Amino acid sequence: MIHTKRFVAILMVFLLVLPMTAMGEVDLEALSGLEGVRTSLADNGVDTVIRPEDQPFFGEMEEKNIGLCSYLDYVVRPNEEDTVFLRLTLALETWEQVSAGRVGITVGKERYVFTVRPTVSEYDMTYYEDYEICMTDLSLPMLQAMVKQKKDTCEIIFYGEKEHHGSLTLPVQAVKGLYNAYVDARGNKQNLESYRDLWPVSVERVK
């Protein structure tokens, strides 16, 4: 009987510790403690954003009436089991809606094409479109490729009713620092495969 009670007690402790271990898999303190980052609540009042203060990064579109900037940060999403994502946000400011369903980012000889769902708002005859891409196991290699390419800019295409071409700027040292910190904090050890359908990506060969 004593042994049985002891076993039950040990089992209860194990069950209590297990979810805490799973939630603590990613070292959030290491990410929020990085130099020059700020932690805040997202506009949806649910997600937590850990973002470097030296952003956004400004790109350039071929059409002069479209402005482009981007953010690369970390986001904790309670609705996705508190998963911590490395997130790329593309923000357009335009006189006419682009409303792209796909975005292509070319790194070297490969183009990563993301299926996207923009958040669109309008103010004073100007549209603001935000494209959020949380990196899964299939898209994190794009950031690795950017680091290896050692270039701060790459081609970007927004596929709406027509194609909108531009140049995305992501300083390679910033990408490298954020990616390495994510790996060190075990972010890439999460079950990112389960979120492939939320942020789909395909890889095309570019001639």
Side-chain angles (χ1 to χ4, degrees):
M1 180 68 69
I2 294 176
H3 292 298
T4 302
K5 288 182 178 179
R6 185 177 181 183
F7 172 76
V8 171
I10 292 173
L11 180 62
M12 290 299 293
V13 170
F14 175 76
L15 291 174
L16 286 170
V17 171
L18 183 62
M20 291 175 64
T21 303
M23 288 179 63
E25 183 178 352
V26 179
D27 189 350
L28 278 176
E29 287 188 9
L31 297 179
S32 60
L34 292 172
E35 184 178 356
V37 304
R38 179 171 56 89
T39 301
S40 61
L41 197 62
D43 291 341
N44 62 13
V46 177
D47 301 338
T48 299
V49 178
I50 304 172
R51 174 177 292 170
E53 294 180 329
D54 61 353
Q55 299 187 24
F57 304 120
F58 291 93
E60 186 174 355
M61 299 297 293
E62 290 182 359
E63 297 165 83
K64 299 307 178 184
N65 63 334
I66 302 178
L68 167 66
C69 69
S70 63
Y71 301 86
L72 186 63
D73 53 26
Y74 309 111
V75 60
V76 185
R77 297 181 63 103
N79 290 339
E80 278 71 52
E81 301 179 333
D82 286 318
T83 301
V84 183
F85 293 97
L86 235 177
R87 178 182 66 168
L88 173 64
T89 302
L90 307 167
L92 294 180
E93 181 179 331
T94 174
W95 297 346
E96 296 183 77
Q97 280 189 256
V98 173
S99 297
R102 296 183 302 144
V103 174
I105 299 174
T106 303
V107 185
K109 294 185 178 181
E110 291 183 323
R111 178 176 295 133
Y112 292 79
V113 181
F114 297 89
T115 301
V116 291
R117 297 171 294 276
T119 300
V120 182
S121 60
E122 184 269 337
Y123 178 74
D124 196 24
M125 303 290 290
T126 301
Y127 292 95
Y128 300 90
E129 302 185 0
D130 289 342
Y131 298 80
E132 177 188 65
I133 300 170
C134 288
M135 299 292 167
T136 68
D137 60 310
L138 297 181
S139 45
L140 279 174
M142 183 185 76
L143 300 182
Q144 291 176 286
M146 286 179 173
V147 172
K148 291 179 180 178
Q149 183 180 241
K150 298 181 179 180
K151 290 176 61 178
D152 292 342
T153 60
C154 50
E155 179 190 11
I156 187 168
I157 306 172
F158 291 86
Y159 300 94
E161 290 187 3
K162 63 178 182 178
E163 292 186 5
H164 302 268
H165 292 251
S167 176
L168 174 67
T169 298
L170 287 174
V172 65
Q173 289 304 316
V175 175
K176 182 178 180 180
L178 289 168
Y179 178 82
N180 287 346
Y182 188 67
V183 171
D184 290 344
R186 297 181 58 81
N188 64 326
K189 299 299 182 183
Q190 300 171 103
N191 183 22
L192 299 176
E193 294 90 343
S194 12
Y195 302 107
R196 291 176 179 177
D197 291 340
L198 283 180
W199 293 281
V201 62
S202 60
V203 184
E204 302 174 351
R205 197 72 179 164
V206 179
K207 296 181 181 180

